[in-house]
Amino acid sequence: MSTDPHPFSTATRLVQAGLHRSGFAETAEALFLTSGFVYESAEEAAATFEGKLERYQYSRFGNPTVRMFEERLAAIEGLEACRATASGMAAVHAALVSALKAGDRVVASRALFGSCHWIVAQLLPRFGVETEFVDGTDLAGWARALARPARLVLLETPSNPMLEILDLPAICDLAHRAGARVIVDNVFATPLLQRPAEFGADIVVYSATKHIDGQGRVLGGAILADGAWLKEVVEPFLRNTGAALSPFNAWVLLKGLETMALRLEAAQERAARIADFLADQKGVARVWYPWRADHPQHELARRQMKGGGTLVTFALAGGREAAFAFMNRLRLIRISNNLGDSKSLITHPASTTHSRIGAEERARLGIEEGVVRLSVGLEAAEDLIADLGQALAAA
Ligand SMILES: *Cc1c(COP(=O)(O)O)cnc(C)c1O
């Protein structure tokens, strides 16, 4: 039995969409921790492999718990279909590679998550794909790059770690005129704060590891798009290359979705307060938070997003030395490159997540030595502010 989620609001979909109960009529989503499925007869197996019968065969192809996660996320995103993957990078990789062949062109914004940048800069050119990076906030740059035909456009908004906001309607329009489909890595916004398809994007990818789990437990990813494209292009690639999401992880992520709106709202409220607090501190040179009026793309953020999110980026006036001293003095907020956790986490991008891209590329992206990225969790705002305050005073 399945519930039809579509008449309901997002809050209801987060809890009920995609729920398929087994014959035992369990309340919570069942965890089908099985690699394979059995057939009643040899004929049934043969008919399944001929494609005459649609049923579960093997968990690399599909699994009921994974299916529930895919249906729930699709219902929240408002896109037709979803395929879950083992990690966010498996989702980005599959969305790109499944649609590309030698001779194709890919245009991407420069401010990408480190591994996404590596796929575009290093991996794709090895297979004869031409790739070009543009400054994501420069529409003239997009127009120049998309004056020639392209197969795909990949971008991230808000970007990691500088929280740049990219103009989705304008970029999607330029991309479509160049014959390209647009893939948006929507990890920082989540489907609750931004639905890229409403602004023209064709494909949305997630690292479910972040806010969807939201409690730092499992890796997972997802690709959302129209059903035909997913079935024809992405599905054969995923079935045969094996980046399948574990049913256990899918179950954790399903339960994560149930509380995502509550967690996100609470963490976002703390993040906004913390951004304002930091902006007033001596020793903090600059704060980037999309909901603050001093954010360079503030107006655009207000048009495209429903909230400022849970990440706050700021620069310490004293460069790397001050940033390290400050981070080392934090007691409650821990140093980690992960984000979207209920625990607040801080990272120094220039020496960790963005160390490999080199100083020149970091300079182009504005990732200075004093920049730190804070992922705000669910601890009390007063405690987080006190921790930041004492570490700043000491640094
Ligand atoms: C974490 C992240 C990824 C990669 O996801 P994994 O689940 O770690 O593979 C991709 N893009 C963004 C923006 C991310 O934050």
Side-chain angles (χ1 to χ4, degrees), residues 121 140 327 341 375 393:
M327 288 167 73
D341 197 327
S375 170

Side-chain angles (χ1 to χ4, degrees), residues 86-90 92 113 115-116 156 158 160 185 187-188 206-210 219-221 338-339 373:
S87 69
M89 284 324 303
V92 175
F113 183 76
S115 295
C116 301
E156 201 179 300
N160 176 37
D185 182 336
V187 168
F188 275 36
Y206 287 105
S207 166
T209 314
K210 311 296 166 54
L219 296 182
N338 200 10
L339 63 97
R373 185 199 71 197

Side-chain angles (χ1 to χ4, degrees), residues 146-150 169-182:
L146 291 167
R148 283 197 294 137
I171 297 165
C172 290
D173 188 43
L174 288 166
H176 292 155
R177 282 196 244 166
R181 281 172 173 267
V182 179

Side-chain angles (χ1 to χ4, degrees), residues 58-61 84-87 90 93-94 234-246:
Y58 188 53
S59 285
R60 169 150 51 78
F61 306 156
T85 55
S87 69
H93 177 239
V234 176
E235 201 166 286
F237 180 88
L238 285 178
R239 284 171 67 100
N240 294 302
T241 58
L245 179 66
S246 150

Side-chain angles (χ1 to χ4, degrees), residues 65-252:
T65 309
V66 175
R67 193 73 215 128
M68 287 192 264
F69 169 65
E70 292 170 334
E71 287 186 17
R72 184 165 299 176
L73 191 55
I76 296 157
E77 189 73 43
L79 275 163
E80 240 172 56
C82 172
R83 289 290 172 275
T85 55
S87 69
M89 284 324 303
V92 175
H93 177 239
L96 287 166
V97 172
S98 66
L100 293 170
K101 61 182 186 322
D104 282 347
R105 268 184 91 231
V106 172
V107 179
S109 61
R110 183 167 278 127
L112 289 180
F113 183 76
S115 295
C116 301
H117 193 278
W118 183 86
I119 290 177
V120 174
Q122 307 287 328
L123 184 68
L124 296 180
R126 274 194 221 162
F127 297 92
V129 174
E130 187 192 329
T131 65
E132 184 174 343
F133 284 108
V134 300
D135 170 354
T137 58
D138 174 19
L139 284 179
W142 283 106
R144 273 194 303 280
L146 291 167
R148 283 197 294 137
R151 179 77 60 191
L152 293 174
V153 161
L154 173 67
L155 62 87
E156 201 179 300
T157 179
S159 71
N160 176 37
M162 300 314 298
L163 308 180
E164 274 180 355
I165 310 294
L166 274 54
D167 189 334
L168 284 174
I171 297 165
C172 290
D173 188 43
L174 288 166
H176 292 155
R177 282 196 244 166
R181 281 172 173 267
V182 179
I183 305 173
V184 176
D185 182 336
N186 202 35
V187 168
F188 275 36
T190 83
L192 301 180
L193 300 183
Q194 175 173 273
R195 293 204 180 109
E198 289 174 3
F199 303 102
D202 305 283
I203 300 142
V204 179
V205 288
Y206 287 105
S207 166
T209 314
K210 311 296 166 54
H211 303 85
I212 293 177
D213 173 6
Q215 289 156 83
R217 301 163 295 190
V218 300
L219 296 182
I223 309 171
L224 294 111
D226 66 87
W229 186 82
L230 270 181
K231 199 162 182 60
E232 281 157 31
V233 178
V234 176
E235 201 166 286
F237 180 88
L238 285 178
R239 284 171 67 100
N240 294 302
T241 58
L245 179 66
S246 150
F248 178 78
N249 289 6
W251 182 84
V252 172

